[in-house]
Amino acid sequence: NAGVTQTPKFQVLKTGQSMTLQCAQDMNHNSMYWYRQDPGMGLRLIYYSASEGTTDKGEVPNGYNVSRLNKREFSLRLESAAPSQTSVYFCASSERTASSYEQYFGPGTRLTVT
Amino acid sequence: EDQVTQSPEALRLQEGESSSLNCSYTVSGLRGLFWYRQDPGKGPEFLFTLYSAGEEKEKERLKATLTKKESFLHITAPKPEDSATYLCAVQAGGSRLTFGEGTQLTVNP
């Protein structure tokens, strides 16, 4: 099993450009998440999808949109990139155990907006 | 609002020198506390889940413990390969996690 995969690994954009970050998981998990990680800020939730067909805002959703394409895939779109969106983006997935959700992360996409 | 504070921000140890990392939390109705390891340039790797005060879990040189206000990650006789950033997260309602900023651990040979 590959677990959680993300593409691309690196990306440089100019201000105002758009792009879509792709995420796929092969663990048959129902829930998927997008985070950004910045120095001194920790991991912050952008959007999540509790199950196929649903999406909800997280802590920092402004400037982003998401699509839960099917159970395996969850994409994050930047419509008009800004320098403040320079960050490392992680996708994660989870399945509810008896008591809680353990999230499993992908390798990340390093995005620079100039 | 759920809050997670990790200390220290950075910790340097000599190989074999045991120590502990702290994770203090404020959450309404804790459903789980999670520890992750993150190596430079990689995604967080799941280590442990703790559910209730008094619970302990071990994996190789790591042992995680939980009280009603904090969790400790004890590292016994660390090796250089234990160098990483260790992240703590809490889950209250739903599936969302709140993460701390992490402790960067360096173990010198």
Side-chain angles (χ1 to χ4, degrees), chain A residues 26-41:
Chain A
D26 62 3
M27 295 175 282
N28 202 34
H29 287 169
N30 279 310
S31 302
M32 298 185 74
Y33 313 81
W34 276 105
Y35 291 88
R36 62 178 289 172
Q37 188 174 41
D38 303 288
M41 303 291 288

Side-chain angles (χ1 to χ4, degrees), chain B residues 30-105:
Chain B
L30 181 72
R31 294 182 64 185
L33 184 140
F34 304 82
W35 282 99
Y36 286 83
R37 169 190 171 126
Q38 186 174 22
D39 293 300
K42 296 192 176 181
E45 175 188 348
F46 171 74
L47 291 174
F48 304 109
T49 307
L50 302 168
Y51 297 105
S52 57
E55 188 175 2
E56 299 183 352
K57 287 195 176 172
E58 291 188 60
K59 181 179 180 179
E60 295 181 357
R61 293 176 292 282
L62 301 177
K63 182 169 80 172
T65 63
L66 181 65
T67 73
K68 289 186 178 181
K69 294 183 178 181
E70 57 192 349
S71 176
F72 292 93
L73 185 64
H74 307 277
I75 303 175
T76 302
K79 298 182 177 182
E81 53 262 42
D82 294 322
S83 297
T85 296
Y86 291 86
L87 302 173
C88 171
V90 296
Q91 179 199 358
S95 62
R96 297 171 59 164
L97 298 185
T98 300
F99 281 84
E101 293 183 26
T103 293
Q104 184 175 358
L105 174 67

Side-chain angles (χ1 to χ4, degrees), chain A residues 43-82:
Chain A
L43 279 160
R44 293 182 292 168
L45 184 65
I46 304 171
Y47 271 93
Y48 67 104
S49 171
S51 61
E52 187 178 356
T54 69
T55 60
D56 285 290
K57 296 178 180 179
E59 183 182 353
V60 288
N62 291 344
Y64 305 95
N65 285 300
V66 290
S67 295
R68 184 73 183 268
L69 304 171
N70 47 56
K71 190 172 185 178
R72 290 187 62 249
E73 299 173 289
F74 189 37
S75 64
L76 178 71
R77 183 162 179 83
L78 287 69
E79 291 290 352
S80 179

Side-chain angles (χ1 to χ4, degrees), chain A residues 4-9 11 13 19 21-23 33-38 43-47 60 62-64 76-78 81-92 105-113, chain B residues 38 42-44:
Chain A
V4 179
T5 57
Q6 293 182 236
T7 56
K9 293 190 187 317
Q11 184 70 49
L13 292 178
M19 78 161 295
L21 281 64
Q22 305 286 353
C23 173
Y33 313 81
W34 276 105
Y35 291 88
R36 62 178 289 172
Q37 188 174 41
D38 303 288
L43 279 160
R44 293 182 292 168
L45 184 65
I46 304 171
Y47 271 93
V60 288
N62 291 344
Y64 305 95
L76 178 71
R77 183 162 179 83
L78 287 69
S84 61
Q85 294 177 305
T86 293
S87 187
V88 182
Y89 291 86
F90 290 102
C91 177
F105 286 79
T109 294
R110 283 146 188 81
L111 175 66
T112 301
V113 183
Chain B
Q38 186 174 22
K42 296 192 176 181

